[in-house]
């Protein structure tokens, strides 16, 4: 099925919102949006960071739901993209 342009814009808005978060030590490796539902994959340094990514994505207007599949890898070093 064709990609809904609203989902494409929503994906850009979520990435921009996460990019504005100074506390975020990593960027999710993948974000997918379908019908306003955001799915996020990647690694987080803590449970708090994982939860904060979800909350930040939820603040974007138009997001209906956030499914965060990020894994916590404490003490790991990840490049910031």
């Amino acid at each position: 099925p064709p990609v809904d342009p609203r989902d494409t814009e929503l994906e850009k808005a979520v990435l921009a919102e996460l990019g504005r978060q100074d506390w975020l030590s990593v960027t999710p490796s993948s974000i997918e949006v379908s019908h306003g539902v955001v799915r996020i994959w990647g690694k987080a340094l803590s449970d708090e960071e994982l939860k904060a990514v979800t909350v930040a994505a939820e603040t974007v207007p138009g997001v209906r739901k956030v499914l965060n599949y990020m894994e916590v890898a404490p003490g790991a070093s990840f490049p910031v993209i």
Side-chain angles (χ1 to χ4, degrees), residues 18-68:
L18 293 176
R20 286 191 285 273
Q21 306 307 316
D22 293 337
W23 50 262
L24 186 59
S25 59
V26 297
T27 301
S29 59
S30 179
I31 293 180
E32 175 186 296
V33 180
S34 179
H35 305 288
V37 177
V38 179
R39 291 171 179 82
I40 303 173
W41 291 270
K43 305 267 186 214
L45 296 181
S46 67
D47 286 325
E48 292 79 14
E49 186 173 64
L50 187 146
K51 291 173 189 169
V53 166
T54 300
V55 170
E58 288 172 339
T59 67
V60 175
V63 170
R64 292 179 40 229
K65 184 176 187 178
V66 175
L67 302 174
N68 191 334

